[in-house]
């Protein structure tokens, strides 16, 4: 059987693909930018096609010869028109699946509160429920799995819980921390998604999925503190902080930006507990049953401590972030391009320099003028951007598509090239490129280039406003990378440039 997976660059999709492969399925991934899957360990085992769920022609082509189609995309935080985008995309997907003779659609949606009319739901939860109905009405047997909080290393829900608990020993919290929910471990979500591929043809319905524990968000924070070995947290709920204010507060405290935090917070306004557990009739529980909250938290923390996080919430594209590739033509005719070039000869091997380059960001920082980077991150957070706290998925290795603080890895070619595309709020498009090579005399050379394509007058004003600081920020970065490379090389006997 061949499975089509949309959202393979995202948190769930990136983990589902290897699970399907291990279960014996052939997998085809449809993505807007195939290069983003290039460095995944399973990339050589799947068929990758270019497509977009909003483009009927590309979806129809991707559906050819497919038995099971997984719909794992949504316009979370995608701006004022996201509900219409979700509706249109789901309709295109369902109609294309029916036309291609697909045997089953599987969709991961959100658990909606019982007895609450659609008009009272948050826009995002309402949209996810509508997508499920559109797919069920497509004429293709469809399984809609409805989950609330998903607990796993790198999930947005887990990161929000983790940072709120770790950073705030005493919390004045909004009333939604008292709402009951039924979290589920990510490995149980993946098990159920894989199991749905083999559902009987006549099964076409929604299923509530959750773990064995029903508890409030406050209970989850206290359980996290206990599992992580933290002192008991003081939590004082207050009847204030709207979802909008709460999302801004979450965005300041955690790496999850306000645009993504808001739908997560809004989904906690109402009690979301499974009304049925019928999925067990078709996909039996594993020995010992689904994972409880404590065990799910333990596994997620272990993955983080072992730096073994396969995907993160930031794996998916950031809504509103630029996606244009770097203009590579030296005589590019698309308008003004501002650049800042730095070059350093380094008394170390290219491999030594590359290790320093690839280790940039996250806990290692940006090597120069940390106050300036921190200030830029705070400003970005305050104006609704992703900020500087997304960190990195892996402490030592980067791959195309990884988030790196407020950058995205656009290209990485070890041990020669790292190109980052900015995802902070800017009046234009920006890239930071680092190259390692040798000159004509065989010396190691580090080259660094910042590129900015301004948008309107504000873009030009921005560039000239910050350019006086480039010598400190970009010049300092190049010097520190060279110095760190040389000190690393000199610490190893026999190593030199």
């Amino acid at each position: 059987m061949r499975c089509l997976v949309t959202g393979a660059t995202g948190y769930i999709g990136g983990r589902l693909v290897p699970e399907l492969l291990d279960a014996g399925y052939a997998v085809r991934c449809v993505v807007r930018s195939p290069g983003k899957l290039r460095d995944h360990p399973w990339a050589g085992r799947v068929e990758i096609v270019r497509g977009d769920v909003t483009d009927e022609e590309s979806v129809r082509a991707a559906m050819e010869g497919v038995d099971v189609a997984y719909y794992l995309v949504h316009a979370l935080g995608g701006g004022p028109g996201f509900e219409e985008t979700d509706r249109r995309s789901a309709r295109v997907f369902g109609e294309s699946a029916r036309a291609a003779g697909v045997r089953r659609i599987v969709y991961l949606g959100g658990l909606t509160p019982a007895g609450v009319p659609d008009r009272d739901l948050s826009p995002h939860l309402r949209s996810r429920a509508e997508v499920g109905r559109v797919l069920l009405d497509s004429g293709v047997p469809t399984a809609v799995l409805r989950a609330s909080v998903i607990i796993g290393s790198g999930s947005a829900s887990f990161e929000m819980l983790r940072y709120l608990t770790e950073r705030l020993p005493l919390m004045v919290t909004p009333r939604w921390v008292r709402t009951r929910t039924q979290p589920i471990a990510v490995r149980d979500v993946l098990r159920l998604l894989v199991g749905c591929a083999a559902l009987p043809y006549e099964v076409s319905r929604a299923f509530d999925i959750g773990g064995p524990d029903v508890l409030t968000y406050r209970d989850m924070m206290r359980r996290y503190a206990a599992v992580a070995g933290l002192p008991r947290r003081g939590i004082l709920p207050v009847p204030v902080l709207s979802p909008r204010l709460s999302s801004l507060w979450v965005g300041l405290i955690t790496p999850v930006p306000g645009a993504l935090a808001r739908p997560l917070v809004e989904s906690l306004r109402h009690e979301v507990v499974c009304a049925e557990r019928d999925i067990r009739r078709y996909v039996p529980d594993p020995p010992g049953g689904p994972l409880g909250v404590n065990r799910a938290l333990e596994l997620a923390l272990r993955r983080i401590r072992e730096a073994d996080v396969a995907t993160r919430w930031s794996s998916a594209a950031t809504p509103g972030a630029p996606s244009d590739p770097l203009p590579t033509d030296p005589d590019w005719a698309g308008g003004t391009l501002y650049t800042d070039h730095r070059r350093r000869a380094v008394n170390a091997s290219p491999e030594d320099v590359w290790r320093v380059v690839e280790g940039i960001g996250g806990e290692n920082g940006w090597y120069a003028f940390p106050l300036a980077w921190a200030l830029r991150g705070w400003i970005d957070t305050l104006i609704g951007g992703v900020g500087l706290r997304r960190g990195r998925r892996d402490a030592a290795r980067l791959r195309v598509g990884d988030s790196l603080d407020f950058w995205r890895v656009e290209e990485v070619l070890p041990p020669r090239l790292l190109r980052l595309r900015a995802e902070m709020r800017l009046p234009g498009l920006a890239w930071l490129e680092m190259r390692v090579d040798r000159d004509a005399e065989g010396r190691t050379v580090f080259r660094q280039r910042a590129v900015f394509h301004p948008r309107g007058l504000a873009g030009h004003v921005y560039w000239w406003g910050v350019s006086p600081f480039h010598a400190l920020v970009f010049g300092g970065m190049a010097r520190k990378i060279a110095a760190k490379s040389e000190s690393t090389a000199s610490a190893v006997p026999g190593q030199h440039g």
Side-chain angles (χ1 to χ4, degrees), residues 244 321 385 465:
R244 176 174 173 76

Side-chain angles (χ1 to χ4, degrees), residues 248-469:
L248 293 174
W249 170 65
V250 170
L252 289 172
I253 301 299
T254 81
V256 181
L260 179 55
R262 184 168 183 177
L264 296 176
V265 169
E266 287 178 331
S267 69
L268 295 167
R269 288 166 50 199
H270 302 286
E271 181 173 287
V272 279
V273 175
C274 295
E276 44 82 14
R277 298 292 299 277
D278 296 348
I279 190 66
R280 292 180 294 182
R281 291 164 45 193
Y282 305 100
V283 186
D285 286 343
L291 291 182
V293 167
N294 283 30
R295 183 59 178 153
L297 291 172
E298 289 170 1
L299 290 172
L301 278 171
R302 189 176 74 188
R303 290 279 191 185
I304 290 169
R305 288 165 180 163
E306 294 175 354
D308 188 23
V309 180
T311 60
R312 297 181 73 234
W313 60 269
S314 55
S315 303
T318 301
S323 58
D324 298 27
L326 174 68
T328 54
D329 187 345
D331 299 318
W332 185 61
T336 302
L337 270 185
Y338 292 117
T339 60
D340 179 274
H341 292 269
R342 307 285 164 172
R343 180 185 184 279
R344 304 284 299 187
V346 188
N347 187 29
S349 70
E351 291 73 22
D352 289 323
V353 180
W354 178 255
R355 277 191 291 272
V356 176
V357 168
E358 195 173 19
I360 202 167
E363 295 297 323
N364 290 330
W366 294 84
Y367 300 134
F369 209 174
L371 180 61
W373 288 100
L375 180 61
R376 186 63 184 86
W378 271 101
I379 292 172
D380 196 55
T381 301
L382 290 172
I383 61 177
V386 296
L388 198 62
R389 295 192 306 273
R390 288 191 302 184
R392 46 186 293 158
R393 180 191 56 84
D394 187 294
R397 192 175 69 88
L398 294 173
R399 66 189 184 198
V400 171
D402 274 358
S403 63
L404 183 59
D405 295 328
F406 46 38
W407 305 88
R408 178 80 59 180
V409 179
E410 185 173 276
E411 184 59 278
V412 55
L413 297 172
R416 297 186 294 108
L417 170 68
L418 173 63
R419 182 185 302 132
L420 308 175
R421 187 181 68 245
E423 290 191 337
M424 73 281 279
R425 296 292 179 92
L426 288 170
L429 305 175
W431 294 264
L432 179 61
E433 188 176 77
M434 287 165 272
R435 292 180 179 270
V436 184
D437 52 29
R438 292 187 182 274
D439 62 15
E441 299 175 6
R443 296 175 302 183
T444 301
V445 176
F446 171 69
R447 292 183 173 88
Q448 178 181 290
R449 180 172 67 138
V451 180
F452 184 65
H453 176 207
R455 184 186 302 115
L457 177 62
H460 294 277
V461 171
Y462 173 83
W463 175 264
W464 290 111
V466 299
S467 58
F469 301 99

Side-chain angles (χ1 to χ4, degrees), residues 231-245:
R232 183 178 174 86
R233 270 28 194 168
I235 300 172
L236 177 64
V238 293
V240 292
L241 287 184
S242 66
R244 176 174 173 76
L245 289 175

